[in-house]
Amino acid sequence: MDTAGRVDALMEGLRADLVRLAEIPSVAYPGYPEEPVHAAHDLLVEMLRGVGVEHIERIDLPGTAPVIFAEIPPPDPAAPTVLLYSHYDVQPAGDERLWLSPPFEPTPIEGGLRARGIADDKANVIAHLGMLRAYEGRPPVGVKIVFEGQEEYGSPFDAYPPTDPERFACDAMVIADLGNLRPGTPTLTTGLRGTADVIVEARTLAEPRHSGEFGGAAPDALLVLLKALATLHDVHGDVAVEGLWREPWSGAGYTDDEFRELAGVGEDLPLMGSGTLGERLWSGPAITVIGLDAPGVDYAASAVVPYARAKLNLRFHPRQDPREALSALAEHLRVLRPYGVPLTVTPGGTGPGFEAVTGGPAYRAALDALARAWGTEPAYIATGGSIPLVNGLARAAPDAEVLLFGAQDNLCNLHAPNERVLLSELRNTVVAMCAFVENYASLAAQDRAGADR
């Protein structure tokens, strides 16, 4: 039976196991019970043992859920080793009234299943297991498996791999925490924007003062803050902070109509910024006001506001140094004096971006594998989101090629109500994983033969 046939024969069991895993509310956020997270961990260990994986470890670090580490030795010492990554924790369900079915009751939909975490990232966990099952636990490459249990909230594990480089040493890694640009379009993600936070404050009065008696002369802290925030973008909505990188984007991208549907932007509203969507979303900066402290409208008094505060989230070019990007935004705000009032600027945490090196043997093997699985040439994109662990793994194995692909697609509603996965995308991802390890093992053998001649 060929690769696709082997995978098709496995799909009923893979679907059933995805349902079992998605039924577990493995939310690793503070205030949520730990037992479901550990139940998901234990179920995956059981599944790995069921496929014949003998070497399975549990990595316990302070302040985080357990990490599954498993290893299958290469079939011969010269075969390459591939590290497979996914995570088994999920986002909270949010307002369950917005769901069409209970979020932790996997529900059939046309072509797929709906549940919280079923795309992000449990389908990708099952895709890794599917590849191992297709080879009855003995793939043509060595395999290291990392299934994380607290990716969504954030975890000290992000910084752990460089402290134990031998454990994570590999020739290539498949980071399966994302997927395709759209269903049916095989996609490699080659870049992740970095992230940083800044808090900016304006304080003008000791306490509120009557707006009729004092307004017009007493400085309004909220007006001061709003004037500062208005300088962050130009009249087109492009980021106007000097020192933040922006480059043209040459890969695939959304159409305006696709993006409007994804973002829920009405046809009567413009999109912010200029240039291609790829530049605005992936190879250029974005600044979002993600929080604002100011009097609420329902309880507003007729008073001059003495204090206002905003939290900003910056996304920056995958290759830009996080400290440089954070400093550019902080300095832009510090030199402002809206209406002569100085601002208090507090830089927050950062997360580096990532840009994959393309063109190596693993990358070539993946391109061919994706084309075989979907029957069409793959696209490449970047993403505005971040996967902090990628940098930790890349530092632990600096010579390894990093491949980012998986069973999600950008219409799957990850982190939103009614998250879903399409079984066709899961099936094709498993086929692609199988074709990738076959291709990569073959290319490595050819390279060895050439070196021996």
Side-chain angles (χ1 to χ4, degrees):
M1 192 180 298
D2 64 9
T3 299
R6 295 201 308 272
V7 173
D8 287 336
L10 294 169
M11 279 304 298
E12 183 176 347
L14 293 174
R15 180 191 183 282
D17 283 338
L18 178 57
V19 168
R20 291 172 67 198
L21 190 58
E23 286 173 336
I24 302 173
S26 50
V27 179
Y29 273 61
Y32 286 81
E34 295 181 359
E35 290 80 7
V37 178
H38 291 276
H41 169 280
D42 294 346
L43 176 58
L44 285 174
V45 170
E46 174 190 318
M47 291 179 180
L48 286 168
R49 294 201 187 283
V51 80
V53 181
E54 298 176 357
H55 182 101
I56 304 174
E57 299 179 39
R58 171 175 166 147
I59 301 174
D60 285 300
L61 301 173
T64 192
V67 176
I68 299 170
F69 177 82
E71 191 168 6
I72 300 171
D76 68 74
T81 293
V82 177
L83 184 148
L84 308 176
Y85 169 83
S86 298
H87 63 88
Y88 63 86
D89 63 304
V90 302
Q91 281 281 319
D95 186 349
E96 296 192 18
R97 294 172 298 179
L98 301 176
W99 285 77
L100 298 174
S101 53
F104 293 105
E105 293 181 14
T107 301
I109 61 170
E110 184 177 356
L113 295 165
R114 178 173 58 236
R116 168 54 85 226
I118 201 155
D120 182 19
D121 192 35
K122 290 179 177 178
N124 282 323
V125 172
I126 294 299
H128 288 322
L129 287 166
M131 183 274 286
L132 297 179
R133 286 182 187 171
Y135 291 103
E136 298 180 342
R138 295 294 177 266
V141 296
V143 169
K144 293 183 177 182
I145 296 163
V146 177
F147 290 159
E148 188 181 2
Q150 195 173 299
E151 189 274 345
E152 296 289 5
Y153 179 71
S155 165
F157 183 62
D158 292 345
Y160 176 73
T163 70
D164 192 3
E166 185 175 351
R167 180 192 296 273
F168 300 99
C170 59
D171 300 290
M173 56 185 81
V174 177
I175 309 296
D177 188 12
L178 27 64
N180 292 336
L181 178 66
R182 60 183 68 87
T185 300
T187 306
L188 272 173
T189 298
T190 59
L192 307 169
R193 277 199 299 197
T195 183
D197 291 329
V198 169
I199 292 176
V200 55
E201 304 171 73
R203 188 179 295 277
T204 57
L205 306 173
E207 57 187 13
R209 285 289 185 266
H210 190 290
S211 58
E213 302 243 352
F214 295 92
D220 182 324
L222 185 52
L223 285 177
V224 168
L225 181 62
L226 293 175
K227 189 170 181 64
L229 297 180
T231 70
L232 298 175
H233 297 83
D234 65 18
V235 294
H236 303 292
D238 291 313
V239 170
V241 174
E242 189 174 345
L244 295 176
W245 297 7
R246 176 169 169 162
E247 290 182 335
W249 174 253
S250 59
Y254 302 115
T255 66
D256 281 5
D257 288 343
E258 282 179 321
F259 184 77
R260 284 180 181 280
E261 181 179 355
L262 284 169
V265 179
E267 293 182 2
D268 57 332
L269 292 176
L271 300 180
M272 286 185 65
S274 62
T276 68
L277 282 171
E279 286 180 50
R280 284 178 271 173
L281 299 172
W282 302 327
S283 62
I287 299 174
T288 306
V289 180
I290 61 172
L292 186 68
D293 289 339
V297 171
D298 290 342
Y299 302 100
S302 296
V304 179
V305 175
Y307 174 76
R309 180 174 71 152
K311 185 172 185 178
L312 310 179
N313 178 248
L314 167 66
R315 301 289 171 148
F316 51 87
H317 189 284
R319 292 197 312 273
Q320 186 161 22
D321 182 274
R323 294 166 296 182
E324 179 185 49
L326 178 61
S327 176
L329 175 56
E331 190 60 25
H332 174 96
L333 293 165
R334 285 195 186 103
V335 301
L336 297 176
R337 294 290 187 274
Y339 308 115
V341 176
L343 302 169
T344 300
V345 180
T346 306
T350 64
F354 178 79
E355 189 167 78
V357 176
T358 61
Y363 184 78
R364 298 196 306 273
L367 285 176
D368 179 76
L370 291 167
R372 285 169 57 187
W374 272 269
T376 187
E377 288 302 306
Y380 72 92
I381 63 170
T383 179
S386 56
I387 308 175
L389 181 65
V390 171
N391 286 279
L393 289 170
R395 289 197 303 274
D399 296 326
E401 292 183 71
V402 180
L403 306 164
L404 297 103
F405 66 91
Q408 300 171 21
D409 66 82
N410 285 343
L411 304 179
C412 71
N413 286 340
L414 74 165
H415 294 209
N418 302 308
E419 181 178 349
R420 65 98 179 105
V421 72
L422 299 178
L423 295 175
S424 60
E425 298 296 286
L426 173 59
R427 180 263 186 195
N428 288 347
T429 300
V430 180
V431 173
M433 291 282 297
C434 293
F436 166 68
V437 296
E438 290 173 6
N439 290 347
Y440 192 37
S442 176
L443 285 173
Q446 292 172 22
D447 288 346
R448 289 197 307 273
D452 292 341
R453 283 199 293 268

